[in-house]
Amino acid sequence: MKIILYEHHTEASLWLDDLARALPGADVRLWQPGDTAPADYAVVWRAPPELFANRPDLKAVFNLGAGVDAILEVERKQPGTLPPSALLVRLEDSGMGHQMVEYAAHTVLRYLRRLDEYDALQREHRWQKLPPFALKDFTVGVLGMGVLGARVAQALAAFGMPVRGFSRSKRDVEGVRTFAGDEQFEAFLDGTRVLINLLPHTPDTEGILNRRTFERLAPGAYLVNLARGGHLVDDDLLHAMQTGQIAAATLDVFHTEPLPDNHPFWRTPRLTITPHIAAETLREESIEQIANKIMALARGEPISGIVDVKRGY
Ligand code: NAP
Ligand code: GLV
């Protein structure tokens, strides 16, 4: 079995060694430009299109992330980039779930307990109590009830706040009031005080965090974008924060990463920025998951996590 790996971080050799160790007997190599030798599987993150060229035998492409928007964007611009015979497989949790829960819980509790406002008061040496929010009114809405969104929603529900979830098809998630499809989108938004985005970035979800969406939320709502920058209309957020419709926001993802130095977000009060670290791809967990799936495919068994290329996730 031949496997090509494309991992553009400095850790590529560590990924190579660990993948080879997890699949004894497999011939695992780092793909280099010009390498057209046969391969059965590709394990990639943001690979150049040449990697896939003339590979009719490729059985599966393993994406080293949960989101497949980058690889599908290349396929949309240059149809046929991905070999039609190859399955596209995304990471399913693989250690990202608990990271998302930690990040989301920290952010929601920070807003619930007004700790961001107390930070600002402390900087001004002001000893001032703010009226607390009632837990029962602090409704959290999670966009996306997939692997990560459902886990975040359930974890937040355990704190006792009302939690809603939104997906394309109806999902049952214990402790969470679920909404599905475009026709229930407004009902999902009405009265939501914290909106957390964990949708995949597809043509259908592009720009979903926009002025109309913000206007339906409870006044003085909070936005937490943990999915992709392309979900957000930046100017609409800036406007909503100026009017106070959005009181504060936490953004982990941006249209351009790193966020350019001259972007107004850097200068917006009550806007928290992190550099796309909400849930990182963990080497050990990811390699274990991918190696198990490669072995299952080699035995002719089905695997989960196969992307529906037409749907976009
Ligand atoms: P997933 O398991 O594929 O879940 C996607 C969810 O979104 C599903 O519930 C799906 O509905 C719903 N959905 C998709 N299109 C929709 C639409 N048009 N309308 C309504 N709902 C829609 O994905 P995941 O593993 O949870 O990951 C979600 C995203 O998180 C990734 O795509 C990635 O962009 C982002 N992410 C970010 C980081 C970070 O560090 N910031 C790390 C990892 C992932 P159905 O259930 O009906 O299919
Ligand atoms: C990271 O953003 C991922 O999609 O895994």
Side-chain angles (χ1 to χ4, degrees):
M1 173 196 304
K2 295 184 190 320
I3 303 173
I4 46 177
L5 170 72
Y6 185 84
E7 209 283 334
H8 63 286
H9 293 113
T10 48
E11 289 186 335
S13 63
L14 298 177
W15 280 85
L16 182 72
D17 292 349
D18 287 359
L19 190 59
R21 230 189 320 275
L23 288 165
D27 167 8
V28 190
R29 66 182 191 274
L30 277 181
W31 182 85
Q32 306 286 351
D35 172 353
T36 54
D40 301 295
Y41 301 101
V43 179
V44 303
W45 182 243
R46 294 185 178 271
E50 310 89 87
L51 180 146
F52 302 109
N54 300 316
R55 294 198 179 278
D57 298 333
L58 201 62
K59 297 180 182 72
V61 176
F62 289 88
N63 182 60
L64 285 174
V68 288
D69 45 303
I71 199 164
L72 290 185
E73 173 74 7
V74 174
E75 177 66 21
R76 261 191 295 277
K77 285 188 179 145
Q78 299 173 47
T81 297
L82 291 173
S85 59
L87 303 171
L88 176 59
V89 188
R90 38 65 62 91
L91 286 178
E92 298 174 281
D93 192 322
S94 59
M96 285 189 256
H98 74 84
Q99 297 178 71
M100 276 300 179
V101 166
E102 292 152 13
Y103 189 113
H106 170 91
T107 304
V108 171
L109 294 178
R110 177 171 175 245
Y111 291 141
L112 169 69
R113 298 306 309 268
R114 307 186 74 156
L115 295 175
D116 62 325
E117 294 170 88
Y118 283 114
D119 276 349
L121 289 170
Q122 179 181 345
R123 280 194 293 276
E124 293 172 17
H125 296 200
R126 284 168 64 193
W127 179 278
Q128 183 188 332
K129 292 189 183 189
L130 301 169
F133 291 124
L135 190 64
K136 68 176 180 40
D137 299 332
F138 210 75
T139 301
V140 179
V142 182
L143 287 167
M145 283 291 95
V147 172
L148 300 176
R151 201 155 159 201
V152 162
Q154 276 191 302
L156 292 172
F159 285 104
M161 56 199 66
V163 180
R164 300 171 175 180
F166 181 72
S167 52
R168 239 163 62 121
S169 50
K170 183 77 178 146
R171 300 277 162 193
D172 287 326
V173 182
E174 205 186 326
V176 178
R177 186 172 164 211
T178 54
F179 298 73
D182 294 347
E183 56 289 353
Q184 292 192 350
F185 188 51
E186 292 189 348
F188 161 81
L189 294 174
D190 282 339
T192 288
R193 184 170 274 281
V194 184
L195 184 65
I196 300 180
N197 179 35
L198 274 168
L199 287 169
H201 183 206
T202 68
D204 288 341
T205 64
E206 167 85 22
I208 192 169
L209 305 176
N210 59 38
R211 184 188 276 220
R212 268 175 296 118
T213 297
F214 301 149
E215 280 168 357
R216 303 239 33 137
L217 300 173
Y222 300 91
L223 175 70
V224 185
N225 188 14
L226 307 180
R228 287 293 182 264
H231 287 123
L232 176 65
V233 180
D234 291 4
D235 285 345
D236 288 5
L237 176 61
L238 290 168
H239 178 263
M241 291 186 75
Q242 267 156 20
T243 63
Q245 173 58 16
I246 299 282
T250 295
L251 308 178
D252 183 54
V253 286
F254 303 89
H255 284 269
T256 304
E257 295 179 2
L259 183 65
D261 194 40
N262 62 356
H263 197 290
F265 283 168
W266 286 114
R267 302 185 298 279
T268 302
R270 302 199 67 188
L271 196 156
T272 300
I273 291 168
T274 52
H276 201 143
I277 48 75
E280 301 203 79
T281 294
L282 302 179
R283 192 169 70 246
E284 190 180 329
E285 290 83 343
S286 305
I287 285 179
E288 185 187 357
Q289 184 175 105
I290 291 169
N292 284 336
K293 289 185 181 182
I294 289 177
M295 288 188 285
L297 287 175
R299 290 191 299 268
E301 294 168 6
I303 59 165
S304 60
I306 296 172
V307 172
D308 179 336
V309 172
K310 276 212 187 74
R311 206 176 54 168
Y313 69 99

